[in-house]
Amino acid sequence: MIAPAAKSPAHNWAAHLRRSPLLAFMLIYTVISGGPFLWVAVMSLRTTPEIFASPYALPSRVHWEKFVEAWTKSNYGTYFWNSTIVVVTAVALLTIIGAMVAHCLARYRFRGNRLVRFVILSGLILPPQLMILSLFQILLEYRLYNTLTGLIIVYVAGHLAITVYILEGFFAQIPQDLFDAARLDGYSDLEIFWRITLPIGVPALFTTVTLNFIILWNEFLYAVVLLTEDDKRTLPLGIMHFMGSHQLDVGMLATGLMIAIGPVILLYALFSETMIKGMTAGAVR
Amino acid sequence: MATVAITALSKLYDGGGELAVKDLSLTVADGEFMVLLGPSGCGKSSVLRMIAGLEPITSGTVAIDGKVVNEVPAKDRDIAMVFQSYALYPHMDVFNNLAFGLRRRGIAASEIERRVQGAAAKLGLLPFLKRKPHALSGGQRQRVALGRAIVREPKVFLFDEPLSNLDAALRVSTRNELIRQQRELGITAIYVTHDQIEAMTMGHRICIMSKGEVVQIGKPLEVYRNPANTFVARFLGNPPMNLIPVTIQGDARSHQLRFGGTSLAARCWPAERLSRLDGKALLGIRPEDVYEASPRSGDERLVAITGASVVAVEPLGAETLVVLSLPGVSEEVIVRSGRESKLRPGEHATIQLDLGAAHLFDQATTEVIARIDVKREAGWPRTA
Ligand SMILES: Nc1ncnc2c1ncn2[C@@H]1O[C@H](COP(=O)(O)OP(=O)(O)OP(=O)(O)O)[C@@H](O)[C@H]1O
Ligand SMILES: [Mg+2]
């Protein structure tokens, strides 16, 4: 709410006072969540001896060369590339498949649609630890163990539930009349999906893309179980690996983390506004 | 250009126990403007959606130009529909909203451009072609919805209460625009509404529906003047037709209608039919056929009733509605009187009923009892 310009100062004060608990809460929240990030960011530019000498100090000299070292000294380039392939492919598949499933569940009443919805959404409540052994076995049998393809399939299967859940909620709110109008305009069901559901659903799609990207980019459990060879590893494993071989080189670890976080921050900077629109779309409409 | 023939159409929704549309038959001629009129929930939209192919048909057939289209998908029926919600594509600007249906039909870009510009010019939408629907007013959105149907040049127009979200003034002007467009293009149109003014003014014919069934089909004034039953009598006309319960007395040759202290000779209805009525019927008379004063005294059609007491007076500007209670009659009677009416609540008045315009309904079946003179418009059997 924006106060009209010509309000008396006293009124302004009252408005500020009323909002102060909220402001205080947001300040504390920002410090708690942003503080550690800043700390790691600062550490990534300092050497380990400097950090041990004074953990909270600002860099006395900015060591940009650490980023080059982190990238070249270990297998970081490979890890980064593996992560990119796995996550981008998985997110792309999730978005397309998830949107199609959500569109069908939201738009069509077919025989057994409740059962299909239940089966897909029950994935929401299954803890990954429960399935990891059987997944391991299945991937072995299909020769997908220790392959990026195997991990991609596992990621898509694991995140389909939450993707469909978010998208269906949004798609169900698109008025049926739009679909009817498009049918009378001569469009087939698949064309309607591409030309009506997807463009109108963009805010929700951004939400799921961002959410899936962040979670999968950081995913550790499946990756550590399903990938063993070093040149197949994804970033989160790479960071771990990196930790062991250098006997907790805190400075290097911080630099590695900053590299890993980069794409997430970039994505968030690009999509956050649309994504928030998507998450609140139901409420404001 | 097309005819639409609906035969014995029925609709049962999944999980709905009752038929939403029952055995409905209706033929719309080429270029005709047919209005489906009925109260909320009577199945008007269901009929329209089955014609459009948006809803599966439970039984019966829909034929366009003599070809049964039950199995033809909506996208291939070449029908354009204007929705109550307008259903404009929110992610496309006005130009693309209008062009969307043309693109799919493989029409050349130059032709699309020409048609969209033409429709936009006709509807005053040229300044808005680059705007998205959310940046338009309600009236402008309505015109885009109309334009989207017009550019398609379809076989049939379907309208589902397209004006109900507009304010009163805009509704009148858009109504006229819509009639003009339909007459100009000569495209067969089926128009759903529950607004009787729209029905009376727009339709070549109106089809009155109740509870999923057709009650009466005819030209608007014909239906207004000769309602088939008490439902139509009450539904068409505002205020609705007065229905006064009467008792019938008499022998095979002459009957009297009695209510309160009044007794009327029932010469306009066949005596043989009256004697089958169990002595009871409803006398229907429109508010404009009841006179407060005696404008045409000496006319034998007019029957004076004294001792009516005024319950309420509603001056509407151009006219005054007077609500009266007749002695010994439970139903109140509404009179459409001139704007100069001097009656005040609590006063007593003498009124005159124009029996020449009265209707008699069977109380049991609610059907109208045909007048002897019904063929001769407003005629009166002077020789009786
Ligand atoms: N999808 C549906 N599923 C079940 N029943 C339905 C469905 N659509 C409509 N009905 C029922 O069918 C009947 C007719 O509905 P319909 O929408 O055709 O009425 P209508 O005459 O258009 O009413 P209104 O003037 O309010 O739009 C109603 O009783 C309604 O509850
Ligand atoms: Mg309706």
Side-chain angles (χ1 to χ4, degrees):
Chain A
M1 193 181 72
I2 301 158
K7 278 279 157 76
S8 68
H11 184 95
N12 255 330
W13 257 107
H16 277 302
L17 214 62
R18 241 181 296 124
R19 264 185 287 167
S20 60
L22 182 65
L23 288 174
F25 174 77
M26 277 164 54
L27 196 70
I28 294 169
Y29 183 82
T30 310
V31 168
I32 289 178
S33 54
F37 172 76
L38 271 181
W39 190 29
V40 175
V42 169
M43 284 198 291
S44 73
L45 296 170
R46 306 172 71 210
T47 61
T48 306
E50 279 173 5
I51 292 168
F52 277 130
S54 152
Y56 299 107
L58 289 173
S60 48
R61 196 177 73 80
V62 180
H63 297 275
W64 291 112
E65 73 281 358
K66 283 182 63 197
F67 279 83
V68 179
E69 196 184 330
W71 187 269
T72 48
K73 250 177 70 178
S74 63
N75 242 345
Y76 229 69
T78 313
Y79 303 150
F80 201 94
W81 179 238
N82 288 344
S83 260
T84 306
I85 290 190
V86 169
V87 174
V88 168
T89 315
V91 167
L93 287 175
L94 270 170
T95 307
I96 294 296
I97 299 174
M100 286 180 161
V101 173
H103 174 79
C104 289
L105 289 179
R107 283 299 141 198
Y108 302 107
R109 296 180 63 200
F110 50 92
R111 195 180 280 272
N113 65 342
R114 286 177 166 209
L115 184 71
V116 172
R117 175 187 280 109
F118 176 78
V119 168
I120 292 176
L121 295 190
S122 62
L124 278 175
I125 50 164
L126 285 182
Q129 291 85 343
L130 203 68
M131 294 180 294
I132 202 144
L133 272 183
S134 37
L135 272 177
F136 175 79
Q137 193 60 39
I138 291 170
L139 289 189
L140 262 187
E141 270 176 42
Y142 285 89
R143 297 163 184 268
L144 289 168
Y145 179 69
N146 206 16
T147 63
L148 296 184
T149 315
L151 193 64
I152 290 171
I153 293 173
V154 170
Y155 280 175
V156 170
H159 277 235
L160 198 59
I162 183 73
T163 309
V164 169
Y165 182 76
I166 293 174
L167 291 181
E168 193 201 336
F170 190 91
F171 290 173
Q173 290 188 342
I174 302 176
Q176 179 64 33
D177 282 355
L178 288 184
F179 297 90
D180 291 343
R183 274 164 81 187
L184 290 177
D185 269 344
Y187 289 87
S188 69
D189 292 69
L190 194 64
E191 287 168 320
I192 289 173
F193 170 73
W194 283 110
R195 290 161 170 274
I196 305 288
T197 305
L198 281 190
I200 296 178
V202 159
L205 292 172
F206 277 169
T207 307
T208 56
V209 165
T210 317
L211 198 70
N212 284 329
F213 186 91
I214 294 175
I215 297 178
L216 294 180
W217 190 258
N218 296 322
E219 207 283 333
F220 184 78
L221 181 65
Y222 284 127
V224 80
V225 176
L226 302 176
L227 302 173
T228 50
E229 282 167 34
D230 190 53
D231 63 350
K232 297 275 165 59
R233 289 204 168 109
T234 54
L235 264 181
L237 304 184
I239 292 168
M240 271 303 286
H241 184 65
F242 197 64
M243 246 163 100
S245 65
H246 291 260
Q247 304 222 311
L248 203 62
D249 182 347
V250 177
M252 257 338 193
L253 187 62
T255 311
L257 281 173
M258 283 319 285
I259 294 175
I261 288 172
V264 174
I265 291 179
L266 190 71
L267 189 81
Y268 201 78
L270 289 178
F271 286 175
S272 64
E273 205 173 309
T274 334
M275 173 175 143
I276 287 164
K277 250 189 239 156
M279 294 207 291
T280 52
V284 233
R285 196 173 275 234
Chain B
M1 311 279 145
T3 57
V4 178
I6 300 167
T7 320
L9 190 69
S10 292
K11 176 70 192 177
L12 180 65
Y13 285 103
D14 306 343
E18 259 187 83
L19 289 171
V21 176
K22 268 178 246 165
D23 199 23
L24 181 137
S25 295
L26 176 68
T27 308
V28 187
D30 186 19
E32 187 177 23
F33 195 113
M34 172 67 86
V35 174
L36 299 185
L37 177 68
S40 188
C42 72
K44 307 181 294 292
S45 298
S46 304
V47 172
L48 219 54
R49 294 175 60 81
M50 284 190 281
I51 298 172
L54 297 173
E55 202 69 69
I57 292 168
T58 307
S59 68
T61 58
V62 171
I64 297 174
D65 273 341
K67 181 172 162 284
V68 173
V69 293
N70 283 29
E71 300 305 325
V72 178
K75 70 186 177 74
D76 301 327
R77 287 195 193 183
D78 198 12
I79 284 176
M81 182 156 168
V82 178
F83 295 82
Q84 183 176 358
S85 64
Y86 311 150
L88 304 182
Y89 309 118
H91 54 301
M92 298 180 199
D93 61 18
V94 170
F95 183 94
N96 284 308
N97 260 285
L98 296 178
F100 193 62
L102 299 177
R103 296 227 169 90
R104 183 63 183 78
R105 278 156 220 274
I107 295 170
S110 58
E111 169 70 4
I112 292 179
E113 178 78 24
R114 194 187 64 74
R115 281 210 218 169
V116 171
Q117 294 287 347
K122 261 192 229 166
L123 296 170
L125 289 170
L126 284 178
F128 312 116
L129 282 178
K130 287 278 156 274
R131 284 207 209 161
K132 295 262 178 76
H134 69 83
L136 298 175
S137 74
Q140 290 158 353
R141 284 179 205 179
Q142 211 290 331
R143 277 180 281 151
V144 177
L146 187 56
R148 197 166 64 180
I150 289 174
V151 291
R152 285 262 314 276
E153 297 172 11
K155 280 188 181 164
V156 182
F157 279 144
L158 301 179
F159 300 96
D160 196 351
E161 310 199 22
L163 306 183
S164 57
N165 290 338
L166 300 180
D167 65 37
L170 207 50
R171 203 184 279 207
V172 174
S173 61
T174 317
R175 192 168 76 206
N176 293 328
E177 177 63 31
L178 204 155
I179 297 174
R180 214 167 55 84
Q181 294 295 341
Q182 194 269 341
R183 304 291 194 264
E184 210 170 89
L185 298 167
I187 292 174
T188 312
I190 303 178
Y191 185 103
V192 159
T193 181
H194 58 242
D195 181 318
Q196 46 167 306
I197 297 180
E198 282 175 22
M200 295 297 293
T201 54
M202 303 181 87
H204 290 126
R205 285 192 299 159
I206 60 181
C207 166
I208 301 204
M209 290 179 62
S210 166
K211 296 182 184 141
E213 289 178 288
V214 172
V215 184
Q216 191 172 3
I217 303 177
K219 290 185 182 149
L221 281 179
E222 257 169 36
V223 177
Y224 184 83
R225 290 199 188 117
N226 303 305
N229 61 22
T230 55
F231 174 81
V232 179
R234 298 283 302 179
F235 191 75
L236 261 197
N238 186 21
M241 185 185 281
N242 297 301
L243 291 179
I244 305 168
V246 295
T247 55
I248 300 172
Q249 290 176 343
D251 49 44
R253 285 186 51 246
S254 79
H255 287 83
Q256 268 83 44
L257 309 178
R258 284 175 192 275
F259 60 94
T262 313
S263 178
L264 313 171
R267 276 173 298 184
C268 324
W269 294 278
E272 169 271 336
R273 178 77 178 83
L274 292 181
S275 50
R276 282 190 278 126
L277 280 179
D278 272 357
K280 274 191 289 186
L282 292 168
L283 180 69
I285 187 148
R286 294 224 176 258
E288 60 266 34
D289 296 322
V290 186
Y291 300 99
E292 182 193 309
S294 41
R296 284 187 272 171
S297 51
D299 192 332
E300 60 180 305
R301 289 183 288 183
L302 297 177
V303 180
I305 297 170
T306 52
S309 55
V310 179
V311 177
V313 178
E314 300 174 5
L316 300 179
E319 61 188 18
T320 305
L321 299 182
V322 183
V323 184
L324 296 162
S325 157
L326 304 188
V329 176
S330 56
E331 303 289 316
E332 287 174 343
V333 171
I334 298 177
V335 179
R336 193 191 289 273
S337 189
R339 62 182 158 199
E340 67 284 352
S341 173
K342 295 281 184 299
L343 289 176
R344 292 292 166 265
E347 289 179 358
H348 286 273
T350 297
I351 56 167
Q352 293 190 312
L353 307 184
D354 183 355
L355 268 199
H359 307 269
L360 201 61
F361 299 96
D362 186 331
Q363 205 167 21
T365 64
T366 77
E367 300 293 326
V368 76
I369 295 159
R371 291 173 66 116
I372 295 169
D373 57 344
V374 75
K375 288 282 178 289
R376 279 185 280 151
E377 196 91 317
W380 178 255
R382 306 232 171 240
T383 53

